[in-house]
């Protein structure tokens, strides 16, 4: 098989697909879901299930990204990680100017079919200041990046939920049986908000969760992010993500399942696309673990959360008691 390499983590990826996959057949649950378009999430045909993360190169990339930050950016990252409220004021003139620039930047993006569909169905809703400002906040008020995030948002949402749910806020009624079953395991939860008012989402790897398609996980997270968006000024302060893996590995089978998930190329791609498009941006990420062998999943998480998340990422290694503090 030929090899392709990821520029970020120097990952060797065979271009031919193994016959064995880690994703079970489609759901046969009671809730029916309209046929979704061919997924833009899983990558081209021939993508492998698993790949190997080069830890040394991942660390080098992280160091390079941290060193590229200006003094002001370092201060902002420090405040985000430690939950210090952002004092930035948004004037109506500034936001209106940025929103107008966003619309100009969107028109420069040639491929935006899902965005066309959304604006056709609801012509004014997705060009309004109230909608666009969430994406500006997620991209530090840079119109070109906000425009790209908006276009990617609709493409990703269309792939996850289909055209019928493209223009609505996702609720529990929009999830199928497998999505709801995944949520009920408690694998991922919305804990509330921190002292800054940021929603806090926590993932517990010690809770087993069997799902039939990778998109099930993405839809569960999407629903929780939608709930988090209801907090006052949520997009202004962002979201905190915590992965709690202390006390996880209780048997070899569980450890194998955990590693299989974190090495699944489809899982990583969907996670990366999710974090790059949702308006509730990541402003702090914490990985708590007590098993040194979990370093590989830790680097996989860094791949998912992107550059913005990586510089705001902190790992905490120690016993369960130590991770609690």
């Amino acid at each position: 098989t030929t090899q392709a390499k990821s520029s970020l983590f120097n990952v060797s990826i065979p271009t031919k697909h193994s016959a064995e996959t880690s994703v079970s057949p489609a759901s046969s649950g009671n809730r029916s879901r309209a046929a979704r378009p061919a997924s833009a999430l899983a990558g081209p045909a021939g993508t492998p299930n698993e790949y190997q993360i080069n830890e040394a190169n991942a660390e080098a990339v992280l160091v390079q990204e941290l060193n590229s930050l200006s003094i002001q950016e370092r201060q902002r990252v420090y405040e985000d990680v430690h939950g210090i409220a952002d004092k930035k004021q948004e004037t109506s003139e500034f936001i209106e100017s940025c929103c107008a620039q966003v619309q100009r930047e969107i028109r420069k993006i040639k491929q935006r079919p899902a965005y066309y569909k959304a604006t056709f169905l609801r012509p004014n809703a997705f060009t309004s200041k109230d909608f666009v400002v969430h994406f500006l906040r997620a991209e530090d008020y840079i119109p070109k990046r906000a425009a790209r995030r908006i276009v990617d948002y609709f493409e990703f949402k269309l792939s996850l939920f289909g055209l019928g749910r493209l223009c609505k806020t996702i609720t529990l009624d929009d999830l199928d049986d497998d999505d709801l079953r995944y949520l009920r395991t408690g694998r991922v939860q919305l804990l509330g908000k921190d002292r800054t008012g940021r929603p806090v989402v926590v993932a517990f790897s010690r809770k087993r969760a069997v799902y039939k398609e990778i998109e099930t996980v993405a839809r569960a997270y999407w629903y929780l992010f939608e709930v988090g968006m209801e907090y006052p000024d949520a997009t202004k302060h962002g979201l905190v993500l915590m992965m709690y893996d202390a006390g996880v590995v209780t048997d070899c089978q569980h450890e194998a399942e955990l590693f299989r998930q974190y090495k699944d190329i489809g899982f990583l791609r969907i996670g990366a696309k999710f974090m790059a498009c949702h308006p509730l941006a990541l402003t702090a990420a914490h990985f708590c673990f007590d098993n040194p062998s979990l370093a590989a999943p830790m680097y996989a998480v860094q791949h998912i959360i992107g550059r913005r998340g990586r510089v705001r990422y902190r790992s905490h290694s120690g016993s369960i008691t130590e991770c609690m503090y």
Side-chain angles (χ1 to χ4, degrees):
T1 60
T2 58
Q3 298 284 329
K5 288 188 182 266
S6 161
S7 61
L8 178 61
F9 282 91
N10 194 25
V11 175
S12 296
I13 303 177
T15 57
K16 292 186 178 181
H17 197 299
S18 168
E20 181 181 359
T21 64
S22 61
V23 181
S24 302
S27 169
S28 59
N30 296 329
R31 288 180 181 233
S32 61
R33 179 179 295 283
R36 291 190 290 273
S39 176
L41 312 175
T47 298
N49 277 350
E50 297 187 355
Y51 74 110
Q52 299 297 321
I53 299 172
N54 185 320
E55 292 185 13
N57 202 39
E59 287 183 341
V61 169
L62 181 58
V63 170
Q64 181 180 4
E65 290 173 342
L66 289 170
N67 288 337
S68 69
L69 297 175
S70 66
I71 295 176
Q72 293 79 8
E73 288 172 329
R74 286 174 180 267
Q75 181 65 25
R76 172 71 181 274
V77 167
Y78 178 86
E79 292 175 352
D80 284 345
V81 170
H82 293 88
I84 301 174
D86 188 357
K87 302 296 194 302
K88 185 175 181 63
Q89 298 296 319
E90 298 176 343
T91 64
S92 58
E93 294 81 6
F94 173 72
I95 294 301
E96 288 174 3
S97 174
C98 287
C99 288
Q101 293 180 59
V102 168
Q103 296 306 320
R104 289 194 290 270
E105 293 294 340
I106 288 177
R107 288 193 288 271
K108 295 178 183 178
I109 301 174
K110 295 181 180 180
Q111 298 296 326
R112 53 184 195 275
Y115 179 79
Y116 277 132
K117 292 183 174 92
T119 52
F120 175 80
L121 293 171
R122 296 184 62 184
N124 300 320
F126 304 122
T127 57
S128 68
K129 179 177 70 174
D130 291 340
F131 177 78
V132 175
V133 70
H134 297 310
F135 295 86
L136 281 166
R137 292 167 176 169
E139 294 293 351
D140 296 324
Y141 304 93
I142 300 175
K144 185 174 182 177
R145 293 181 184 175
R148 181 75 260 175
R149 185 176 280 258
I150 289 173
V151 171
D152 291 344
Y153 168 85
F154 285 111
E155 292 294 336
F156 190 84
K157 189 174 182 180
L158 180 64
S159 294
L160 279 184
F161 296 100
L163 185 60
R165 297 174 175 85
L166 181 62
C167 299
K168 71 182 295 289
T169 300
I170 299 302
T171 66
L172 284 175
D173 291 335
D174 299 310
L175 304 181
D176 63 23
D177 284 346
D178 287 328
D179 305 339
L180 293 171
R181 191 176 300 112
Y182 182 85
L183 279 174
R184 291 191 187 107
T185 65
R187 177 71 173 269
V188 57
Q189 303 175 29
L190 179 63
L191 294 187
K193 56 185 178 181
D194 67 1
R195 62 185 178 184
T196 310
R198 299 179 295 182
V200 179
V201 171
V202 60
F204 297 97
S205 291
R206 71 175 182 272
K207 292 181 178 291
R208 296 176 184 272
V210 178
Y211 50 89
K212 296 183 178 180
E213 58 181 10
I214 299 171
E215 286 85 352
T216 290
V217 181
R219 287 192 291 269
Y221 272 87
W222 192 282
Y223 165 72
L224 293 178
F225 274 50
E226 295 281 78
V227 176
M229 288 274 289
E230 296 177 1
Y231 292 165
D233 293 328
T235 56
K236 195 171 184 178
H237 301 302
L239 173 136
V240 177
L241 178 64
M242 184 173 73
M243 287 72 57
Y244 191 82
D245 287 344
V248 171
V249 180
T250 57
D251 55 67
C252 293
Q253 181 182 1
H254 190 189
E255 185 173 9
E257 289 174 1
L258 182 63
F259 273 83
R260 186 161 51 249
Q261 171 181 302
Y262 279 115
K263 291 169 63 180
D264 190 298
I265 194 71
F267 176 84
L268 295 175
R269 280 181 170 167
I270 286 183
K273 286 177 179 289
F274 187 115
M275 301 308 298
C277 79
H278 201 280
L280 190 54
L282 192 67
T283 51
H286 300 273
F287 191 103
C288 303
F289 64 103
D290 61 352
N291 188 332
S293 66
L294 290 176
M298 181 177 70
Y299 286 109
V301 170
Q302 290 185 31
H303 172 81
I304 289 174
I305 61 181
R307 179 184 181 277
R308 178 190 177 94
R310 279 192 294 274
V311 297
R312 292 167 170 81
Y313 176 93
R314 300 294 183 269
S315 61
H316 311 275
S317 177
S319 67
I320 296 177
T321 302
E322 289 172 326
C323 287
M324 291 293 290
Y325 293 94

